[in-house]
Amino acid sequence: MLQHKHQDLFNEPACAKNQAKDEKTRKKGCGGKPLTPGNAAGGCAFDGAKIVLQPITDAAHLVHGPIACEGNSWDSRHALSSGPMLYRTGFTTDVGEMDVIYGGEKRLFKAIKEIIARYDPPAVFVYQTCVTAMIGDDIETVCKVAAERFGKPVIPVNAPGFVGKKNFGTKLAGEALLNHVIGTEEPEITTPADINLIGEYNVSGDLWMVTPLLKKLGIRLLTSITGDARYHDVTKAHRARVNMMVCSQALINVARKMEERWGIPYFEGSFYGVKDTSLSLRTIAKMLVERGAEPDLIARTEALIAEEEARVARELAPILPELKGKRVLLYTGGVKSWSMISALHYAGMVVIGSSTRKATKEDKARAAELMGEEGETMDNLPQRDMYRMLKNREADIMLSGGRTQFVALKAKTPWLDSNQERHNAYCGYDGTISLLKEIHKELTNPVFDLVRTPAPWEV
Amino acid sequence: MANVLSTAKPLTVNPLKLSQPLGGASAFMGLAGSLPMLHAAQGCTAFALVLLVRHYREAIPFQTTAMNEVTTILGGKDNLEEAIINIVNRAHPKVIGICSNGLIEARGEDIRGDLKLIRQRHPELADTALVYASTPDYKGGFQEGWASAVTAMVDQLVEPEIARNPRQINILAGCHLTPADLEEIRDTVEAFGLHPIILPDIAGSLDGHIADEWVLTTLGGTSVEDIRHMGRSIATLALGLQLEPAARLIEARCGVPAEVYPHLTGLLAWDNFIAALARLSGKPVPQSIRRRRSQLLDAMLDGHFYFGKKKIAIAAEPDLMLGLTQFFADMGAEIETAVTTSDGAALALVPAKEVRIGDLDDLEQAAGHCDLLIAHSHGARVAERLGVPFFRAGFPLFDRLGAAHKLSVGYRGTRDLIFEIGNLFIEHQHHNHQPHNHQTREHGTDAAVASH
């Protein structure tokens, strides 16, 4: 059964990256490319599934597996909550040798029972992992029985690590939402200006840079899937008028199937940078009006955009001269490979290179067009080459994730975290201000001149 | 002394325990020119890597055989072979440390046999040591994985020897020792004119120095060559009960006598160690060390006012727990509640009524009325919810700088611990004068739920 689900997901018709391939490669699907042993990096399908679902903050997230899966990973992401904290509690069955021999289903059932008795969450998400999948624990049945017995949604997330990469796990999590959560409850009221954000996990509070803008426009966020989400809000997401898919192909299956099942149109947008934030707001307004919202929403949106853009310009004016012309190496992926560029161009910075891992053909084209002659897109930059570039001072600063942080620091080069481990929100107008101020703070720190000074006895 | 309580709970809430493969891979980080690898699905490596990066704030070389659905069914030999070849071609490591996980062990794969075949088929691997440690993640935790890896290094690399070098000694370093601890130990041993082979030496690789070029393996550590010649030493000092089996293995193979030092925190423990070095080297204890001992005595006298009858709650792996609890007992504090990850020889020696094998939730249930809570970084939120002062110890420490440079062994390390923790007590002293009595504060299930 899992096999069929995989085949189906591999062939995602709305996935631009997949559709750009020829028929033969397309059959191999997305996320299905086998990894290279000894030269692979990144998370597994379980990781991806957890990333998507864990931001549902009032639910319990129970990992059925040996200690590695949860013990090594719990509470490590900064998807923030404005209320419930249960999602940050690490729950695992921590299966032992005896469970591996005799099966861990009973243990899982008891664990679900204990969670419900003790914490009474609106729902329990149960994650399958490699070892318990291999020994044949049937989490779907255990969840079904537990749900009936305890009268609570208990949702199986069948994404053991070995089925694929992180990206594929995000889609399996999307399937779990589509099959067990979205559409299972009805909202008390609906408005013609109800939307969902899909693929926005409120990393470091990114979502909260956007929600005040929506509020000012009278647009109601039914739910974000799944940043700062509450379980019961996600169940009602199918009554939105428009879905915005934020910065990622990861949950494209959710957007597409919501359109098929409930006729909710979606668009892909970004809240990184001034230009893209404005464009996304415009698109939301336009699509809502097309679906019956008050036509004046468009004019009000334009007024807000004008006001916000002026404010950004005002706030950044003191630091812009110092940012102008500075060279940036961007090592990120997906939509960020181009959306970050536009945020940096706003400050007159030069992007000398952008990695386009996990990016679609369109993403790559956009990145290349934005950088023009100044920079190049690259699929993968080996750390040794990255170190050489930075050591030769080809870039003034690198923006990347934690994994490559030390390549920059060991090369005595300024670095800023642009990935999910960061502690600052970079979305929306306020996020852009914050991003450029952080870059400025990093570039002007005197420590770099100091650490590059040779010891007196070496001169 | 302590009674060990093990529970067969079906649910672990807020894990204290980390996985065996992560412990094993950490030990392999202490070898020079090393590239640790998990024989597992790629997520296992990603999670472990992130923890190591966050703790040490260093780039960590770490690879995976990237097992998938098909290779899980058919067996992982081809993945193992491909991974080794790819790693050798790209990074030219001196040693690849291979840790298995639950998936591989539950399949019952013959990794030693596989490695033999891979060697036969690839003569180009002649200069690369391949060391395999069995570390299923459904058993034990970080400490067991570390110990398993060190035993594997000894078993698979140390050669039988008869000749002796009267100045060479082996130091087997447990996972509770930081790079700073190892530096202190090395300096002390060298002060007696002895040459220590420290295994594994994470001080060489993870002390946060800046190298002149970018390397794809570890930046330093114990060399394979040194490990091969550990049989020439006059003694093996195992630091931590976890490494007694590895020390006994060298003893059995090469006749090098093994001595076990459960921990090196506190006056008597370091006294013993120093006495051993004086005995092995035949040299008097240097003045500088005597001076530090005197400083520690002074610190103990200055500090004891603040430790007396304090109630301590601690969650740590067995050997780390033993050293820390003994330190608190020495200073007059009482171990009120102790939670650990897995059964170990150290637990019986812990100066507490009982030690529970459990999780941070067990700690939270029992620590509400304590004066100090000790755990790795995940304990911070527990301490915050309970309103109890918090001291970080163990792995991972991801929310503070300088984890590698925390020193807690020797006269100096013990002195620093007294000051650091004593100051924590002083800082929170005024709370005891408040009208509320924190012993009556509600804790336990309801409070925990309310704060979620």
Side-chain angles (χ1 to χ4, degrees):
Chain A
M1 200 174 81
L2 198 57
Q3 198 62 43
H4 286 212
K5 192 191 263 180
H6 291 179
Q7 273 301 315
D8 185 36
L9 281 175
F10 279 160
N11 196 1
E12 171 56 57
C15 175
K17 188 172 178 178
N18 212 21
Q19 291 310 304
K21 296 170 188 163
D22 63 51
E23 201 178 339
K24 209 173 146 195
T25 16
R26 189 159 66 229
K27 264 195 188 142
K28 288 186 185 155
C30 58
K33 196 175 81 184
L35 300 157
T36 313
N39 194 12
C44 58
F46 158 71
D47 188 15
K50 193 92 186 293
I51 286 169
V52 168
L53 298 173
Q54 185 138 21
I56 301 177
T57 57
D58 52 357
H61 300 269
L62 170 62
V63 177
H64 184 43
I67 196 65
C69 311
E70 182 70 352
N72 293 357
S73 72
W74 71 285
D75 208 14
S76 64
R77 287 172 62 85
H78 305 289
L80 300 185
S81 168
S82 57
M85 295 300 279
L86 189 60
Y87 75 120
R88 289 186 62 183
T89 305
F91 292 113
T92 174
T93 50
D94 182 14
V95 298
E97 206 167 15
M98 287 302 144
D99 302 300
V100 172
I101 297 167
Y102 296 110
E105 290 174 2
K106 278 194 186 134
R107 191 184 184 86
L108 174 60
F109 185 81
K110 284 188 203 154
I112 297 168
K113 186 179 170 190
E114 192 173 324
I115 288 176
I116 290 175
R118 215 177 128 181
Y119 300 91
D120 191 33
V124 181
F125 286 87
V126 174
Y127 299 80
Q128 181 65 294
T129 61
C130 294
V131 170
T132 46
M134 187 180 63
I135 63 174
D137 279 2
D138 180 358
I139 68 159
E140 318 246 347
T141 303
V142 174
C143 288
K144 199 164 161 239
V145 172
E148 281 163 13
R149 181 79 60 86
F150 307 123
K152 256 208 197 224
V154 182
I155 297 132
V157 185
N158 211 343
F162 57 50
V163 302
K165 285 185 260 191
K166 186 155 86 179
N167 200 273
F168 186 53
T170 62
K171 291 193 173 54
L172 290 170
E175 289 300 300
L177 288 177
L178 288 162
N179 294 339
H180 299 280
V181 185
I182 298 169
T184 57
E185 293 178 44
E186 291 297 329
E188 276 175 29
I189 51 152
T190 57
T191 82
D194 287 355
I195 66 162
N196 299 316
L197 299 179
I198 297 178
E200 163 54 58
Y201 309 124
N202 197 31
V203 171
S204 301
D206 267 350
L207 175 67
W208 301 331
M209 301 284 111
V210 178
T211 40
L213 300 170
L214 298 176
K215 208 164 190 181
K216 272 186 201 163
L217 295 171
I219 295 168
R220 189 172 74 149
L221 185 64
L222 270 188
T223 190
S224 170
I225 296 176
T226 52
D228 196 15
R230 307 293 181 271
Y231 179 77
H232 290 301
D233 293 339
V234 182
T235 61
K236 299 162 190 162
H238 62 299
R239 293 302 175 213
R241 313 296 299 213
V242 169
N243 276 335
M244 170 171 168
M245 209 172 65
V246 182
C247 269
S248 175
Q249 296 282 327
L251 288 178
I252 178 81
N253 53 331
V254 173
R256 178 176 61 83
K257 288 186 183 169
M258 285 183 80
E259 182 169 47
E260 276 171 21
R261 286 187 202 171
W262 298 289
I264 309 170
Y266 67 89
F267 76 101
E268 192 190 344
S270 159
F271 286 117
Y272 284 112
V274 171
K275 225 167 103 188
D276 290 336
T277 302
S278 299
L279 179 63
S280 293
L281 291 176
R282 270 189 194 108
T283 311
I284 292 172
K286 184 171 134 263
M287 287 175 76
L288 281 174
V289 169
E290 278 166 11
R291 301 211 64 211
E294 293 292 328
D296 76 322
L297 178 61
I298 289 173
R300 285 189 293 115
T301 305
E302 288 305 330
L304 180 73
I305 288 171
E307 184 189 315
E308 289 288 310
E309 288 189 353
R311 183 173 66 90
V312 177
R314 215 162 44 234
E315 288 208 27
L316 289 176
I319 62 166
L320 284 182
E322 284 186 279
L323 293 178
K324 197 162 185 254
K326 288 284 189 291
R327 292 153 305 160
V328 188
L329 178 61
L330 193 55
Y331 201 70
T332 166
V335 176
K336 268 187 287 177
S337 26
W338 58 267
S339 59
M340 290 294 253
I341 300 176
S342 74
L344 298 167
H345 278 178
Y346 181 85
M349 301 179 81
V350 179
V351 180
I352 63 158
S354 176
S355 76
T356 47
R357 301 165 302 162
K358 293 178 275 181
T360 63
K361 205 173 166 184
E362 287 75 22
D363 290 335
K364 284 181 200 178
R366 261 189 271 197
E369 196 193 315
L370 277 169
M371 282 186 296
E373 301 270 293
E374 290 163 348
E376 55 176 330
T377 60
M378 47 210 166
D379 235 12
N380 191 26
L381 183 62
Q383 292 198 348
R384 201 176 263 168
D385 298 340
M386 187 186 282
Y387 179 79
R388 196 181 308 121
M389 278 176 83
L390 296 171
K391 192 136 194 199
N392 293 341
R393 309 278 169 252
E394 288 170 38
D396 294 300
I397 187 168
M398 179 163 82
L399 267 58
S400 73
R403 208 192 302 271
T404 41
Q405 169 179 3
F406 301 100
V407 182
L409 296 184
K410 296 289 180 191
K412 301 172 184 173
T413 300
W415 173 84
L416 191 70
D417 198 338
S418 60
N419 262 11
Q420 55 273 51
E421 296 91 2
R422 68 195 144 83
H423 290 269
N424 293 299
Y426 292 147
C427 265
Y429 302 108
D430 285 317
T432 305
I433 293 170
S434 166
L435 171 71
L436 293 173
K437 281 188 175 169
E438 285 297 318
I439 291 176
H440 180 255
K441 190 161 80 185
E442 184 65 14
L443 279 172
T444 54
N445 195 310
V447 85
F448 290 97
D449 282 339
L450 280 171
V451 297
R452 289 172 190 169
T453 310
W457 53 88
E458 278 171 359
V459 182
Chain B
M1 275 186 280
N3 191 14
V4 179
L5 304 177
S6 50
T7 44
K9 299 193 302 184
L11 176 67
T12 289
V13 180
N14 293 337
L16 168 69
K17 192 168 62 171
L18 299 148
S19 76
Q20 269 218 74
L22 172 52
S26 301
F28 282 117
M29 285 299 301
L31 303 189
S34 162
L35 219 151
M37 174 171 77
L38 296 194
H39 193 5
Q42 81 160 354
C44 304
T45 299
F47 289 146
L49 182 68
V50 167
L51 275 192
L52 285 165
V53 167
R54 291 175 76 198
H55 176 88
Y56 286 108
R57 296 174 194 262
E58 291 292 320
I60 303 284
F62 202 0
Q63 259 305 328
T64 171
T65 57
M67 294 290 286
N68 61 40
E69 226 170 350
V70 176
T71 55
T72 297
I73 296 164
L74 300 178
K77 188 169 114 287
D78 293 348
N79 276 48
L80 184 62
E81 178 170 0
E82 201 184 333
I84 290 171
I85 300 305
N86 279 336
I87 288 173
V88 168
N89 287 340
R90 194 181 67 247
H92 316 293
K94 294 270 190 301
V95 55
I96 302 176
I98 300 148
C99 294
S100 57
N101 80 337
L103 194 66
I104 296 295
E105 294 290 340
R107 280 197 88 257
E109 300 213 6
D110 174 21
I111 298 180
R112 287 191 126 187
D114 292 346
L115 289 174
K116 220 174 253 171
L117 282 174
I118 291 168
R119 273 214 179 284
Q120 278 166 15
R121 287 176 24 181
H122 297 279
E124 75 270 24
L125 297 178
D127 295 332
T128 314
L130 305 174
V131 181
Y132 154 62
S134 168
T135 51
D137 41 16
Y138 50 73
K139 274 206 299 203
F142 189 91
Q143 180 179 299
E144 287 72 23
W146 179 285
S148 171
V150 176
T151 307
M153 292 169 200
V154 167
D155 183 35
Q156 293 163 50
L157 295 175
V158 174
E159 290 166 358
E161 302 248 11
I162 301 162
R164 288 285 176 274
N165 174 349
R167 303 246 68 85
Q168 180 178 305
I169 66 166
N170 301 327
I171 303 269
L172 298 183
C175 66
H176 53 304
L177 300 168
T178 64
D181 289 337
L182 295 183
E183 271 172 22
E184 181 77 3
I185 289 163
R186 176 181 293 282
D187 289 350
T188 307
V189 173
E190 286 176 350
F192 284 90
L194 294 167
H195 167 65
I197 298 177
I198 299 179
L199 181 73
D201 182 14
I202 53 168
S205 53
L206 292 169
D207 66 337
H209 62 283
I210 293 190
D212 290 331
E213 56 183 323
W214 189 255
V215 289
L216 298 170
T217 60
T218 51
L219 287 171
T222 330
S223 71
V224 171
E225 195 57 20
D226 272 354
I227 303 172
R228 290 198 198 281
H229 296 309
M230 286 176 98
R232 287 182 193 166
S233 296
I234 52 167
T236 299
L237 312 186
L239 310 185
L241 287 166
Q242 57 186 284
L243 295 180
E244 178 160 6
R248 297 284 171 221
L249 190 57
I250 304 178
E251 189 171 56
R253 185 170 299 175
C254 314
V256 178
E259 299 176 24
V260 182
Y261 296 80
H263 65 88
L264 295 177
T265 303
L267 180 70
L268 300 185
W270 195 250
D271 275 357
N272 264 337
F273 185 67
I274 295 293
L277 295 177
R279 171 170 44 84
L280 291 166
S281 66
K283 287 195 173 162
V285 177
Q287 270 312 317
S288 60
I289 293 178
R290 293 167 195 243
R291 180 86 180 177
R292 276 181 203 150
R293 186 176 194 277
S294 175
Q295 289 174 353
L296 172 58
L297 299 184
D298 189 60
M300 289 170 76
L301 293 167
D302 289 346
H304 82 282
F305 297 108
Y306 306 97
F307 285 77
K309 297 288 173 213
K310 283 285 194 316
K311 289 187 171 65
I312 310 296
I314 180 169
E317 295 212 277
D319 279 350
L320 177 65
M321 167 167 288
L322 178 57
L324 288 175
T325 51
Q326 188 59 53
F327 162 79
F328 280 102
D330 287 353
M331 295 298 293
E334 288 165 358
I335 309 304
E336 188 74 2
T337 177
V339 180
T340 192
T341 49
S342 42
D343 210 348
L347 300 186
L349 307 176
V350 169
K353 274 198 215 85
E354 55 189 41
V355 179
R356 176 177 294 279
I357 296 171
D359 51 31
L360 289 172
D361 185 52
D362 293 320
L363 183 77
E364 186 160 352
Q365 300 299 319
H369 62 285
C370 287
D371 300 298
L372 183 71
L373 195 143
I374 301 159
H376 59 49
S377 282
H378 280 302
R381 289 182 60 233
V382 174
E384 205 180 286
R385 283 196 289 267
L386 296 175
V388 172
F390 184 53
F391 180 72
R392 288 168 179 77
F395 178 94
L397 301 187
F398 48 72
D399 56 346
R400 284 293 181 276
L401 291 169
H405 295 286
K406 276 181 87 113
L407 179 67
S408 64
V409 302
Y411 301 134
R412 254 207 301 208
T414 308
R415 185 195 67 191
D416 292 354
L417 267 187
I418 293 172
F419 293 157
E420 199 179 343
I421 295 170
N423 286 336
L424 255 180
F425 286 139
I426 290 171
E427 197 180 326
H428 287 85
Q429 210 170 22
H430 62 278
H431 296 311
N432 298 334
H433 303 308
Q434 301 294 314
H436 81 267
N437 176 355
H438 60 210
Q439 296 207 2
T440 63
R441 188 193 303 127
E442 276 190 352
H443 60 90
T445 313
D446 295 338
V449 173
S451 62
H452 279 300

